[in-house]
Amino acid sequence: MRVLGLGIVTLLACPAEAQEVRQSSPPPGPPHGMTTGVPPAATGWSITIGAAPVLGPAWQGSRQMALSLFPDLRVNYGDTLFASVPDGIGWNAVNRDGWRAGPLAKIRFGRDERNGGSPFLIAGGSDALAGMGNIRAAGEVGGFVEKSFGPRRAWRTRAEVRQGFGGHDGVVADLSAAYRTRIGRAIVSAGPRMTLASGNVMRTYFGISPVQSARTGLARYHADGGVLSYGLGGNIARPLNRRSAITLFTSLERLGGPAADSPLIRERGQRMQATLGLGYGFRFGL
């Protein structure tokens, strides 16, 4: 789920701070940086309901594009608890002096050999996975640590480490940095990111077993752990008022060696992965 072009694309004005870019799991889950752009309420419970059409690869490593419409439901308790499909469920157990840290749980959607696997697919898809078999959805549980610094804490670095269960039993680590600033009244955030994965994760999504080789004609491949992907991403948020906002987000990423060397990618996919999406959200309190 993730077109052409990276960039930090432009929207317009905003009266309030927008929600920061957060890492999310790779496709076929919600794309990196997907956000409705609406900041949670400062205190108490708040719910944000939104949607985001996203154009990008049908599956991670695909050369075919697909259009998906992701629902985006977010629940926050002030700046303490957060829950959404892109960000997962987490608790800011530490939240002071620019530091945030705490436990985190996420979901990684499965992969379907018929079309790529997005449960929210509305157009496009891919038949390149035929013979690879389906991959179940996976839960990932771990923690995160984040540091904001610089003038007005414009810079933010973040690291997440999660253990998977279900669709895969490996370890995933997301690393990112972002710089946030204003252009006029718009809020712009952009920076580099990298995802590391253990051998189990790589073999689940990019390995070719003897059975898969016989079904697909692809050579057998035993993937090792390492860099899954690296690249740049950014978004521009324009709150429409204090409760609603639109956000344009984009990313350009390249698969790391263990994934890119797979016959699945070399013969049926591509290393470069680009995404473009537009999110809208409306927040209300409880």
Side-chain angles (χ1 to χ4, degrees):
M1 291 106 353
R2 290 342 164 210
V3 39
L4 315 161
L6 163 80
I8 313 302
V9 262
T10 64
L11 274 171
L12 322 170
C14 102
E17 288 292 325
Q19 182 169 317
E20 296 174 277
V21 177
R22 295 197 185 275
Q23 288 285 89
S24 67
S25 52
H32 290 292
M34 173 176 157
T35 172
T36 52
V38 185
T43 60
W45 291 98
S46 64
I47 296 177
T48 302
I49 298 176
V54 179
L55 181 64
W59 47 276
Q60 189 169 30
S62 175
R63 65 179 61 154
Q64 284 93 20
M65 305 298 286
L67 179 65
S68 297
L69 180 62
F70 288 98
D72 194 3
L73 173 65
R74 299 171 184 263
V75 179
N76 293 82
Y77 181 73
D79 198 24
T80 303
L81 301 175
F82 58 89
S84 71
V85 175
D87 298 340
I89 300 173
W91 170 37
N92 291 319
V94 175
N95 190 358
R96 63 178 182 274
D97 301 325
W99 286 97
R100 292 186 186 181
L104 180 69
K106 288 187 173 183
I107 186 171
R108 185 185 300 266
F109 291 130
R111 194 176 74 180
D112 192 318
E113 67 175 354
R114 294 173 302 171
N115 58 20
S118 169
F120 308 110
L121 182 71
I122 58 176
S126 169
D127 59 3
L129 295 172
M132 291 296 294
N134 298 332
I135 301 174
R136 294 178 300 154
E140 296 176 351
V141 177
F144 71 94
V145 60
E146 176 180 307
K147 174 62 176 175
S148 298
F149 58 94
R152 298 185 179 181
R153 294 182 176 171
W155 283 99
R156 192 202 70 179
T157 57
R158 182 179 176 93
E160 298 180 9
V161 179
R162 306 182 303 275
Q163 170 68 55
F165 60 92
H168 75 81
D169 297 317
V171 177
V172 178
D174 287 325
L175 309 174
S176 66
Y179 178 77
R180 188 178 63 176
T181 189
R182 289 179 179 271
I183 298 178
R185 296 171 65 192
I187 297 175
V188 182
S189 180
R193 58 181 56 151
M194 176 183 291
T195 298
L196 309 174
S198 66
N200 179 279
V201 177
M202 295 291 194
R203 288 187 288 276
T204 298
Y205 296 95
F206 302 101
I208 311 293
S209 70
V211 173
Q212 291 171 324
S213 178
R215 290 175 177 172
T216 63
L218 298 172
R220 300 180 185 182
Y221 181 65
H222 183 87
D224 295 322
V227 177
L228 174 57
S229 65
Y230 57 94
L232 297 169
N235 66 31
I236 296 181
R238 181 204 176 194
L240 304 175
N241 51 49
R242 290 186 176 275
R243 292 184 178 272
S244 64
I246 55 176
T247 302
L248 188 64
F249 55 90
T250 183
S251 69
L252 182 65
E253 298 181 324
R254 183 176 174 85
L255 295 180
D261 289 342
S262 170
L264 177 64
I265 303 303
R266 289 191 284 106
E267 299 182 29
R268 299 186 179 185
Q270 64 183 19
R271 293 189 70 169
M272 298 302 297
Q273 305 283 280
T275 305
L276 182 64
L278 180 67
Y280 169 81
F282 178 84
R283 187 197 72 212
F284 58 92
L286 295 179

